Amino acid sequence: MIWAHGYGGADRDLRRLPSPGFVTILNDAGWDVLRFDRAPGDDALFTTLPRLTEGLAAVRAAGYRQIVLGGQSRGGWQAIMAASARPELVDAVIAMAPAAHGEANRANNLLAGLDDFRRLLAGLPPGPRLAVALFDGDDFDPDPERRARMVEELSRDRAAPTLALWPQAPGQGAGASHSRSRSVAMARPTT
C-alpha cells in the first residue's frame, strides 16, 4: 500500500502525521506500507502527481504484484488521479474524504469541488477497485450525501468492486480517517 497524507497549506507540514489505524492494521497483517510524503511548499497536484505515477512503475519493477493507493483528503484525491493515469499499475484505491479544493468554507471552491469530483470519478477506468469514505462535517465537502450518490452512480458502470462508506461519529471532517472509531453507520458495497 502506498499511503498519502492530506494537505494542510503551505505552512503546515503533515509528513509526520501518523497513518490512520486501518493502514497500521494492514501493515501488521503483512502488507508493506510506503508513504507518499510531500513537502507543504511543493504540494501542488501538477507537481506531485507525476512523481506518484512514476513511483508506481518503480514499485512494480521492485517486484510488488499488487499495489493499493490510499490517501486522506488531498492524498485520496491524488490516489484516484494516479489510478486514472496508470490503471495497469493500481489494483485498488482507498480514498478517505478525497478533496483538492482550497480553503474550508469558501463556497466557490467547494461547489467547484463537487463538479470536479464527478469528473474525477468519471476518469477512473473500470479496472482498479475503489473504496471512498465520506464524513459529515467535512469543511472541504459541502455535500457528502451527493458525493456518495456519485460513487453509487459510478458503481453501476464499473466492472471493479466499488464501495462507499459513511462512518459514525466521532469521525467528522477531512481528518476523520484518523479517528479511533471503527464503527460504520452504513456501508453500501456495489459491484
Side-chain angles (χ1 to χ4, degrees), residues 57-110:
V59 169
R60 184 73 79 193
Y64 286 95
R65 294 184 315 270
Q66 293 185 339
I67 298 174
V68 175
L69 292 178
Q72 180 265 330
S73 193
R74 169 83 60 91
W77 192 277
Q78 286 183 330
I80 296 171
M81 289 178 75
S84 296
R86 297 298 306 266
E88 75 281 7
L89 297 176
V90 177
D91 295 283
V93 174
I94 302 171
M96 308 295 288
H101 291 85
E103 300 173 29
N105 299 320
R106 296 219 24 215
N108 58 341
N109 284 336
L110 297 178

Side-chain angles (χ1 to χ4, degrees), residues 4-155:
H5 56 75
Y7 176 67
D11 298 331
R12 187 164 174 232
D13 193 343
L14 300 180
R15 292 178 287 182
R16 292 187 188 355
L17 187 68
S19 299
F22 80 90
V23 175
T24 303
I25 290 169
L26 288 174
N27 187 243
D28 290 348
W31 286 71
D32 289 339
V33 176
L34 309 172
R35 286 184 53 120
F36 181 59
D37 284 336
R38 291 128 22 236
D42 187 29
D43 194 8
L45 289 173
F46 66 89
T47 58
T48 58
L49 183 62
R51 291 197 308 256
L52 178 56
T53 56
E54 290 167 13
L56 292 173
V59 169
R60 184 73 79 193
Y64 286 95
R65 294 184 315 270
Q66 293 185 339
I67 298 174
V68 175
L69 292 178
Q72 180 265 330
S73 193
R74 169 83 60 91
W77 192 277
Q78 286 183 330
I80 296 171
M81 289 178 75
S84 296
R86 297 298 306 266
E88 75 281 7
L89 297 176
V90 177
D91 295 283
V93 174
I94 302 171
M96 308 295 288
H101 291 85
E103 300 173 29
N105 299 320
R106 296 219 24 215
N108 58 341
N109 284 336
L110 297 178
L111 294 177
L114 289 172
D115 290 336
D116 285 350
F117 187 68
R118 182 182 311 283
R119 284 191 291 276
L120 178 71
L121 293 177
L124 185 64
R129 296 175 173 135
L130 175 65
V132 177
L134 303 162
F135 303 94
D136 291 332
D138 185 342
D139 288 340
F140 297 97
D141 183 358
D143 195 344
E145 184 177 346
R146 187 168 166 193
R147 282 191 183 206
R149 284 194 308 267
M150 290 179 198
V151 174
E152 183 179 13
E153 289 168 13
L154 172 73
S155 71

Side-chain angles (χ1 to χ4, degrees), residues 75-76 104 148 156-157 190:
R156 294 181 190 136
D157 297 326
T190 54

